Amino acid sequence: MPRLLCILSLLALIWGLDNNRLKAAPLLQVHDRLDIEMDPVRRLDDQALVRGRVVERASGEGSAYQEVNLRIDDYEATVLTDGAGYFSSLFRIDQGTHLLSVDVSGSPSLDASHFEMADFNIAKSPLALSLDAPSELADTAGELQLRVSARSDSAGAVVEVSAYYGAAGGEMALIGAATTDSDGAATITIARANLGSPGRKRIEIRVAGNRNYDAARAAANLNITGSSVLTLRSNHSRYDYGDNVLASGRLLNGRGEAIVGAVVGIDVNSQRIGNAKTDERGDFHLDVDSEELGSGTTAMQATYSPTESWNASSKSEPVKIIIAERKPVPLSYTLAAFALTSLALLSFVGMRTRPWERWLRKTDDKNNTETLPEEDSDLPPATGLAPARPKLTSTLRRAQYYDVEGRILDAITKEAIADADIEIVGATTSNTQSAEDGAFASETLADGDYKVQVRAFSYVSEGFSVRIPHRGELRGAVVH
């Protein structure tokens, strides 16, 4: 039998594949930006060598086999980047100023990029710009130093340099500037407060160009690593079994600033019992039932495990708490609870059935009988609707019956009346007749109040009102 089940399962799987019934999981497409880094344009005899590199901004790595469109004035060329992202092309151009533009078409996961150099002049000296910056910086560091070098024909160049900064893949903003010395060197210092939160960052050094040099750029990636300090405390050190244990604490970064919206896990004896989210002050709170922890001495610890690679995880110091042994519930509490439950149930049933009304009716009938004179004891028979007594279970539920059924009887002889007409008028209308045994049943009725008329040949008609739905008092009812 197991072998047969395996064969059937395999056949079902093959059939599903053949009919394209198995759908692939949805793909998450993450877009990254491309940057174009240009080398100085150099003259080779009567031609200009245009060379550069296409890099992915987030990683700083070259983007291989990208289609690059190069254009100088009306001359255009299309090339592919190599495995490291480099590209180059030769142009035959005249003296004077020109417009150089570079476009990369990108791909489904990489956005397109555009670079433009206006007033480009082949007669100007080529400017080589380089940037020396750390690849990582701790969030506790005081400042960031950028060392810039600008050289032309192996000699230092005096130029104005602007530093731009932003998140990798995001927009860049001007963050500093300097002028290189006669050796082409300059240092730009950026305060830690201007570097923002931890994460992957990008730095660009730009020279706008002047009468001696064309524009130039250099770039570098920077990871600002995050650290954290996590504390935990409980409102008490000892608890009775069944008490709530309040765990609270605070999550700060290395500079003492709150880490907002972070998820902190609470572990007890290396078992996760819950998570809490930090507020604008870095505080978090979690209520834990001591029954989940069990009695005895236990250790509670908070854990912060960020998903970002540049953020470091942290743990709080363990907090020891003692939970007392479980105590049995006193017998008096059990008896009191049982008595209160019984009283509530009897009260509920009493409010539903109202037995005192029947007792009051019997008392009134007895009193009326005793006060009547002996010669008037021969009273007319009682006529009309005699509701049925619903079951106890029906009184405990809400009204749920939507029809009327019962019997039509002679008020004196108690014999069944056949062919009596029963008309029920309200939100809907139902007409029916009684059977040989006097039984009748209406159709299903809508919610609302209804007037019921019962007519039979040689009898006085009877009328009464009912409400739909009911709890069973109109099932098995008798109309005299």
Side-chain angles (χ1 to χ4, degrees):
M1 189 66 181
R3 181 177 299 175
L4 178 60
L5 291 176
C6 291
I7 294 174
L8 291 176
S9 300
L10 180 59
L11 291 176
L13 178 60
I14 296 173
W15 177 82
L17 290 173
D18 288 341
N19 289 273
N20 293 323
R21 294 179 181 270
L22 296 179
K23 297 183 178 179
L27 295 177
L28 179 63
Q29 191 74 289
V30 180
H31 282 259
D32 193 6
R33 291 195 176 190
L34 292 175
D35 279 319
I36 302 173
E37 298 179 351
M38 298 298 298
D39 291 345
V41 180
R42 298 184 178 277
R43 174 180 288 276
L44 299 176
D45 298 328
D46 58 348
Q47 291 182 316
L49 175 62
V50 179
R51 189 174 185 274
R53 190 185 188 201
V54 179
V55 298
E56 297 176 10
R57 177 174 293 186
S59 63
E61 297 179 355
S63 185
Y65 312 116
Q66 292 289 337
E67 187 176 279
V68 182
N69 184 264
L70 304 171
R71 188 182 184 93
I72 295 181
D73 298 335
D74 295 330
Y75 299 97
E76 189 173 354
T78 301
V79 296
L80 285 178
T81 61
D82 62 15
Y86 289 99
F87 63 89
S88 63
S89 182
L90 289 171
F91 286 87
R92 189 180 299 277
I93 58 175
D94 301 326
Q95 297 289 340
T97 59
H98 304 275
L99 174 63
L100 170 64
S101 64
V102 183
D103 290 280
V104 181
S105 57
S107 67
S109 60
L110 295 169
D111 291 336
S113 184
H114 174 76
F115 173 86
E116 188 173 288
M117 184 187 297
D119 297 331
F120 158 67
N121 193 334
I122 193 65
K124 294 181 180 180
S125 299
L127 182 65
L129 195 63
S130 63
L131 170 63
D132 183 12
S135 59
E136 285 192 354
L137 183 71
D139 63 346
T140 54
E143 58 186 23
L144 171 65
Q145 283 197 344
L146 307 176
R147 288 181 290 276
V148 182
S149 175
R151 304 188 68 80
S152 176
D153 296 330
S154 301
V158 179
V159 291
E160 293 182 359
V161 180
S162 299
Y164 288 80
Y165 178 83
E171 298 298 326
M172 310 288 288
L174 180 65
I175 199 171
T179 301
T180 59
D181 57 20
S182 58
D183 292 329
T187 299
I188 301 176
T189 302
I190 302 173
R192 178 62 189 84
N194 295 329
L195 296 178
S197 60
R200 288 191 292 268
K201 312 295 182 179
R202 184 168 176 81
I203 309 165
E204 283 189 6
I205 300 299
R206 303 177 186 176
V207 173
N210 53 34
R211 63 182 182 179
N212 298 320
Y213 306 105
D214 281 320
R217 289 189 184 186
N221 287 339
L222 170 67
N223 266 348
I224 298 182
T225 58
S227 59
S228 58
V229 178
L230 185 59
T231 58
L232 178 69
R233 61 184 178 277
S234 63
N235 52 344
H236 300 291
S237 59
R238 293 177 176 270
Y239 298 89
D240 289 332
Y241 191 88
D243 287 349
N244 276 353
V245 178
L246 177 60
S248 58
R250 179 170 292 180
L251 178 63
L252 305 176
N253 62 21
R255 302 187 307 278
E257 301 169 344
I259 300 179
V260 182
V263 177
V264 177
I266 307 298
D267 300 334
V268 172
N269 296 333
S270 301
Q271 295 290 330
R272 180 63 49 91
I273 62 170
N275 296 305
K277 198 171 185 179
T278 58
D279 58 17
E280 64 276 1
R281 297 179 54 191
D283 293 336
F284 61 90
H285 308 276
L286 182 67
D287 259 334
V288 184
D289 192 339
S290 60
E291 293 183 7
E292 298 181 18
L293 307 181
S295 57
T297 303
T298 186
M300 186 165 51
Q301 190 173 33
T303 303
Y304 171 54
S305 301
T307 57
E308 302 88 355
S309 60
W310 56 83
N311 274 333
S313 60
S314 59
K315 290 186 177 182
S316 70
E317 291 293 329
V319 175
K320 290 187 177 181
I321 56 176
I322 300 175
I323 300 174
E325 294 291 335
R326 182 176 184 177
K327 297 179 180 178
V329 178
L331 180 61
S332 58
Y333 288 7
T334 304
L335 295 176
F338 178 76
L340 291 175
T341 304
S342 302
L343 179 61
L345 180 61
L346 291 174
S347 301
F348 181 77
V349 173
M351 293 299 293
R352 291 286 194 184
T353 59
R354 301 176 181 270
W356 58 85
E357 293 182 353
R358 292 194 294 273
W359 179 79
L360 290 175
R361 283 198 299 269
K362 290 180 180 179
T363 303
D364 290 342
D365 292 343
K366 182 179 180 181
N367 293 336
N368 292 335
T369 301
E370 291 175 354
T371 56
L372 287 175
E374 191 174 316
E375 59 271 21
D376 294 336
S377 61
D378 197 10
L379 295 176
T383 62
L385 174 68
R389 178 179 297 179
K391 296 180 180 180
L392 178 60
T393 56
S394 298
T395 65
L396 299 177
R397 296 180 293 185
R398 64 179 182 178
Q400 58 179 334
Y401 298 105
Y402 289 84
D403 57 354
V404 180
E405 62 178 42
R407 298 181 66 200
I408 311 297
L409 302 180
D410 187 298
I412 298 176
T413 66
K414 308 305 180 184
E415 294 180 353
I417 300 175
D419 299 325
D421 294 321
I422 300 97
E423 181 182 28
I424 305 174
V425 180
T428 55
T429 301
S430 175
N431 293 284
T432 185
Q433 282 190 330
S434 60
E436 290 295 329
D437 60 353
F440 73 94
S442 73
E443 301 173 352
T444 300
L445 304 172
D447 292 9
D449 295 323
Y450 290 82
K451 296 289 187 182
V452 182
Q453 287 289 333
V454 182
R455 301 180 182 88
F457 180 73
S458 76
Y459 284 89
V460 177
S461 62
E462 287 294 336
F464 51 88
S465 299
V466 297
R467 175 178 287 275
I468 300 297
H470 58 89
R471 288 187 172 84
E473 64 270 14
L474 299 179
R475 281 191 165 187
V478 176
V479 180
H480 295 285

